[in-house]
Amino acid sequence: MNDVALLTDPLPKVWNPESRIGDMLRGKRGLVVGVANENSIAFGCASKLRAFGAELAMTYANEKSERYVRPLAEQIQASLIMPLNVEHPGELKAAFDQIRTEWGRLDFVIHSIAFAPRDDLHGRVIDCSLQGFQQAMQISCYSFIEMARLAEPLMTEGGAILTMSYYGADKVVNHYNIMGPVKAALQATVRYLAAELGDKDIRVYAVSPGPLKTRAASGIAQFDELVDAAVARSPAHRLVDIAEVGRVVAFLVGGGASGMTGDTIYVDAGLHNVA
């Protein structure tokens, strides 16, 4: 199989494989966590990173999700496909141990997982349970710290660590509820990790897409209203798609973003600029 076939982009509706700008990520190896199906933001990231030449490790949360994730990972020819549920003790370390054994180093990590129990997500922040808040923080924020800690010794030549946030971390968004404080903590974590890892040439970012119709987003109450409002308010009156998010992630992972770290990068068609 030739190189062109290896790097064919699986999202042609927004990207023409014949007009790629080059193999700027060739030789880089990275881990993508959070793919649930073909509509996942993490899959948009994985497909674009692969299209630019990166070698990928991908994870699935459990046996049920493996049925959906494995075919996608195979479609973009991920080198490693591993189980990873961040709530299961030892699984995160096992994934990084496998990367160390197979690759010996790591260039980037994409963290695209978030969760809050339904009752806590749909209720007022003031009414959230301690258990629900702790679970949301563990999965959505603390797991990012854990991944950075495990990635640090593998990033011997520098690297990039990215997570996904949302505008609700900055402003009150109806029905986003407890995930607002959780994502605010995540963005603060990005800044602190960037400061701590900067002397090792490890850059850290949060990427903040607009509302996207993913499986995770479907748990937000009245999500369709949120989408309609975003389309009405954004300058171009549209949503972004997962491929557009993926292209920005590819830029941040690459050398073109070497002068940036600690930032939250908005990929929301300008929605965050509109009052």
Side-chain angles (χ1 to χ4, degrees):
M1 186 176 294
N2 59 37
D3 287 345
V4 173
L6 282 172
L7 295 174
T8 297
D9 196 310
L11 295 174
K13 67 182 184 296
V14 290
W15 185 271
N16 180 357
E18 302 302 322
S19 63
R20 291 190 300 108
I21 61 173
D23 296 329
M24 68 180 186
L25 300 181
R26 181 177 291 279
K28 290 189 178 295
R29 290 170 164 172
L31 170 65
V32 178
V33 178
V35 175
N37 57 38
E38 69 277 7
N39 298 316
S40 298
I41 293 172
F43 182 60
C45 296
S47 66
K48 295 308 167 189
L49 291 162
R50 183 71 186 110
F52 279 113
E55 189 175 357
L56 298 180
M58 291 173 57
T59 67
Y60 54 88
N62 50 46
E63 290 184 4
K64 181 179 178 180
S65 67
E66 183 181 5
R67 299 200 307 266
Y68 301 96
V69 177
R70 184 171 291 276
L72 296 173
E74 291 173 348
Q75 179 185 356
I76 60 175
Q77 295 159 333
S79 301
L80 302 175
I81 308 172
M82 305 174 291
L84 175 56
N85 183 325
V86 296
E87 290 190 283
H88 291 175
E91 283 198 11
L92 190 56
K93 183 178 183 300
F96 278 85
D97 284 345
Q98 185 173 347
I99 289 171
R100 180 183 295 105
T101 299
E102 298 286 340
W103 287 348
R105 65 177 179 82
L106 194 62
D107 297 298
F108 61 86
V109 173
I110 311 301
H111 171 279
S112 185
I113 55 175
F115 176 81
R118 182 181 178 87
D119 288 346
D120 296 288
L121 180 60
H122 286 191
R124 301 187 305 169
V125 172
I126 201 170
D127 295 323
C128 76
S129 67
L130 175 60
Q131 181 179 358
F133 182 77
Q134 289 175 331
Q135 187 178 21
M137 284 291 290
Q138 178 193 355
I139 295 173
S140 311
C141 184
Y142 185 70
S143 66
F144 182 62
I145 297 174
E146 290 183 291
M147 288 185 197
R149 181 165 62 244
L150 291 166
E152 180 184 6
L154 295 175
M155 292 185 168
T156 55
E157 301 176 13
I161 305 173
L162 286 74
T163 189
M164 297 296 151
S165 190
Y166 179 62
Y167 180 64
D170 304 303
K171 303 293 183 183
V172 175
V173 174
N174 288 338
H175 310 299
Y176 199 57
N177 301 339
I178 191 59
M179 288 307 299
V182 171
K183 291 293 190 180
L186 182 64
Q187 289 185 186
T189 297
V190 164
R191 294 188 290 270
Y192 278 84
L193 293 182
E196 293 172 356
L197 298 175
D199 60 356
K200 296 186 177 180
D201 197 26
I202 298 174
R203 296 167 286 121
V204 188
Y205 309 97
V207 175
S208 183
L212 291 169
K213 295 183 178 181
T214 63
R215 191 178 76 174
S218 66
I220 299 172
Q222 301 181 42
F223 182 71
D224 287 342
E225 292 182 12
L226 190 64
V227 168
D228 291 343
V231 171
R233 291 174 54 231
S234 67
H237 301 295
R238 70 176 185 88
L239 302 177
V240 298
D241 59 37
I242 61 173
E244 290 177 301
V245 178
R247 289 198 290 270
V248 172
V249 166
F251 162 71
L252 293 172
V253 166
S258 61
M260 303 165 58
T261 192
D263 299 303
T264 297
I265 311 299
Y266 291 91
V267 190
D268 62 359
L271 178 63
H272 70 284
N273 288 317
V274 180

